[in-house]
Amino acid sequence: MANDASGQITSTRLKAPDIGKQLREISPHSVQVVESLRANGFEAYIVGGCLRDLLLGRTPKDFDVATDAEPQAVVKLFKRSRIVGRRFQIVHVRSGRDVVEVTTFRAHHDTRDTEDHESEQSDTGMLLRDNVYGDLSDDAVRRDFTVNALYFCPETDEIIDYVNALSDIKEGRLRVIGDADTRYQEDPVRMLRAARFAGKLDFEMEPETSAAIEKNGHLLRQVAPARMFDEVLKLFLGGAAANTLAVLQQFDLFQYLFPATAEALEDDQPYAQEIIQATMENTDARIEAGKPVTPAFMYAAVLWPAVIELREACLDQGMHIVEAMREATHAATMDQLQTTSIPKRFSIPMREIWDLQSRLHLKEGKRAAKLRSNPRFRAAYDFILLREQSGEDLEGLGEWWTQYQIDNPVDEEANRSEQRRRPPRRRRKRPPRQAQGQ
Ligand code: ATP
Ligand code: MG
């Protein structure tokens, strides 16, 4: 970042009418939010990852707005909006199904009198509350990586760059803003974000950005399991899981996400690496093909090496195979919950997939048809194929089930009309999700 003679941080401005045009086309809502804030006397910009992605010719996932209006003022302005998060308050502004995240300019905690603001830090420097407000330049330098700290003003069609983000984007470089150790200590999740952006964008980490990860990785143990779960989904269900896994392993971060699987990897379990890698490749391919992906399957697969190790230990103690498997899946789930939460709607199907692994061997007589009609059959069958693809010898079980499905085609149309005859299920209203990141 550049400072002028008076020590003020300076910015570069770049006319980018094409970015403005794309934003108005892809996310008119985010532009409207900025315009409304400005019409009411506030400062406001489109910010962050969406600009980075547009400059790289990628389609942004979501659109963020930064403003000097405090959260209470923002909710007053937009009818369909609410404040989410506590550690880091943001406002969700809705329009149809679209949500724009509006954040108030933040400052570093030592640059402002924090008395009537919200700042709280742990012994290791982790920010427990990060609601200290500042101005635009403060906001730019408290963002995580340079490539995420660009602002766009739809009024002037200008990009504003305080941190040489434009050159880092051009050169494919991921650089932490400020002192890397401090920034990771404030929020260890930034290390996972570094791996995610490096993996997804195929960017090279600048040396300080990567060196500090090796030093501070262990701080991830302090992060709340719910936030870790959210990050796991972003890391592995974002379309670049295989690349991201490689970066995570390169920087020894995988162990903080799936400790028991990492141990199995260290024990040189033959197919542990194969299965996690194959899972990521298959997930990326499904996303690319527009097919659905579920955390339940991904978790089932990534934890499988841990399940197997636990199962072997139970068998060594003389347990019966069925009991050993039940014990192993239970223990693997409980262990993992210490690190990342797994909401029930995913942990239940995950365990059903595991449970079906032994049952798919018992396919004689009428059992095959019954197993086939199990709602989790498809996932369990895919899981068998994945295990075989990763080098487990299941004595041709996948092949057998593939052939069985060819020989016994399901009447899809009959199934669909059966579905249509059923009265629609009443949908339960889910409690609103809390924002985990910022
Ligand atoms: P994507 O949406 O593609 O995952 P993004 O960069 O938009 O990437 P978000 O999680 O949507 O990431 O966050 C929006 C912006 O908020 C980021 O671009 C970054 O400027 C800032 N930000 C998010 N998380 C952090 C963090 N932990 N520390 C500092 N700044 C952050
Ligand atoms: Mg974003």
Side-chain angles (χ1 to χ4, degrees):
M1 100 195 59
N3 295 68
D4 66 13
S6 67
Q8 279 290 78
I9 119 162
T10 55
S11 64
T12 310
R13 287 169 186 256
L14 177 81
K15 279 273 178 203
D18 48 325
I19 295 286
K21 193 164 158 265
Q22 289 183 67
L23 280 168
R24 284 179 196 95
E25 264 168 37
I26 319 173
S27 178
H29 181 211
S30 61
V31 178
Q32 281 153 17
V33 170
V34 170
E35 284 168 351
S36 303
L37 284 160
R38 286 177 168 257
N40 283 277
F42 295 111
E43 221 184 317
Y45 304 89
I46 310 265
V47 63
C50 62
L51 299 173
R52 169 200 74 211
D53 288 346
L54 287 175
L55 288 166
L56 289 167
R58 296 165 158 264
T59 314
K61 206 171 75 225
D62 47 38
F63 296 84
D64 303 297
V65 166
T67 176
D68 64 352
E70 295 204 3
Q72 281 74 10
V74 178
V75 281
K76 269 200 202 131
L77 221 53
F78 299 97
K79 235 195 255 145
R80 297 189 56 209
S81 66
R82 62 189 179 88
I83 299 176
V84 294
R86 187 186 97 97
R87 187 182 67 83
F88 189 96
Q89 286 194 337
I90 56 182
V91 181
H92 279 175
V93 181
R94 284 175 191 278
S95 161
R97 291 174 65 88
D98 198 46
V99 182
V100 168
E101 290 193 351
V102 181
T103 52
T104 305
F105 296 153
R106 296 300 198 278
H108 277 311
H109 290 223
D110 52 359
T111 59
R112 286 287 180 278
D113 172 12
T114 56
E115 264 193 13
D116 45 40
H117 288 98
E118 304 228 19
S119 163
E120 209 183 308
Q121 233 161 328
S122 79
D123 300 345
T124 56
M126 191 155 95
L127 296 181
L128 305 175
R129 271 165 109 80
D130 186 5
N131 294 312
V132 180
Y133 301 129
D135 62 21
L136 178 61
S137 67
D138 293 327
D139 190 71
V141 297
R142 73 89 201 163
R143 288 186 177 267
D144 47 6
F145 303 99
T146 58
V147 298
N148 288 346
L150 287 173
Y151 298 81
F152 181 81
C153 172
E155 238 164 55
T156 59
D157 264 350
E158 268 179 339
I159 287 183
I160 308 165
D161 180 3
Y162 282 95
V163 292
N164 291 328
L166 288 167
S167 77
D168 282 343
I169 291 181
K170 207 154 108 208
E171 280 157 42
R173 194 167 42 223
L174 193 72
R175 182 199 301 272
V176 138
I177 300 173
D179 174 60
D181 284 326
T182 313
R183 300 310 308 281
Y184 292 151
Q185 283 154 14
E186 284 173 357
D187 181 5
V189 168
R190 287 176 186 147
M191 291 180 271
L192 296 177
R193 291 174 60 84
R196 177 155 66 89
F197 295 126
K200 158 173 145 171
L201 307 171
D202 232 339
F203 273 26
E204 194 77 44
M205 284 194 215
E206 165 276 333
E208 264 186 50
T209 300
S210 55
I213 293 185
E214 277 150 48
K215 214 162 107 200
N216 295 291
H218 64 97
L219 295 174
L220 281 163
R221 294 205 185 97
Q222 298 174 16
V223 179
R227 188 157 179 231
M228 289 294 270
F229 173 76
D230 274 11
E231 277 314 308
V232 164
L233 301 196
K234 290 186 196 161
L235 287 161
F236 297 138
L237 300 182
N243 241 354
T244 305
L245 175 71
V247 180
L248 286 167
Q249 292 196 302
Q250 183 189 344
F251 291 103
D252 240 358
L253 292 177
F254 183 75
Q255 57 169 321
Y256 304 112
L257 301 171
F258 292 97
T261 305
E263 254 174 56
L265 284 167
E266 269 183 18
D267 294 346
D268 258 349
Q269 223 197 72
Y271 52 82
Q273 181 66 30
E274 311 300 326
I275 197 165
I276 55 174
Q277 222 157 297
T279 305
M280 301 316 168
E281 282 160 17
N282 292 359
T283 309
D284 290 345
R286 286 184 71 94
I287 291 173
E288 175 80 30
K291 292 187 189 163
V293 289
T294 157
F297 190 91
M298 188 261 286
Y299 261 80
V302 175
L303 288 176
W304 186 244
V307 170
I308 298 220
E309 274 212 337
L310 287 160
R311 187 189 63 185
E312 294 310 306
C314 292
L315 288 173
D316 287 347
Q317 284 171 23
M319 267 188 217
H320 181 265
I321 178 80
V322 176
E323 198 192 345
M325 188 65 186
R326 195 181 314 124
E327 182 58 34
T329 53
H330 177 74
T333 312
M334 289 303 146
D335 283 355
Q336 183 60 27
L337 291 176
Q338 312 278 320
T339 307
T340 73
S341 61
I342 318 175
K344 283 245 158 52
R345 64 183 185 283
F346 303 127
S347 65
I348 292 171
M350 170 184 86
R351 295 187 64 173
E352 286 169 349
I353 293 171
W354 286 339
D355 185 37
L356 276 167
Q357 294 309 293
S358 347
R359 288 172 52 206
L360 286 180
H361 286 277
L362 309 170
K363 52 194 176 359
E364 307 315 324
K366 288 196 177 137
R367 280 193 176 141
K370 186 140 187 278
L371 283 165
R372 172 91 188 276
S373 65
N374 186 304
R376 217 57 76 192
F377 170 80
R378 185 73 213 187
Y381 162 72
D382 284 345
F383 199 79
I384 294 274
L385 297 183
L386 180 72
R387 288 170 61 195
E388 290 184 334
Q389 182 189 343
S390 315
E392 258 189 277
D393 180 7
L394 302 179
E395 295 171 345
L397 190 63
E399 175 86 47
W400 190 93
W401 278 107
T402 306
Q403 194 57 44
Y404 178 85
Q405 292 174 81
I406 296 170
D407 296 342
N408 301 276
V410 178
D411 187 345
E412 294 285 345
E413 185 43 38
N415 266 0
R416 270 198 294 274
S417 45
E418 167 68 14
Q419 292 281 338
R420 277 197 293 269
R421 272 199 300 278
R422 286 195 199 135
R425 278 189 26 217
R426 290 241 317 269
R427 290 185 61 184
R428 217 159 35 100
K429 233 177 148 187
R430 257 202 269 137
R433 264 168 63 88
Q434 290 286 304
Q436 302 289 344
Q438 32 176 296

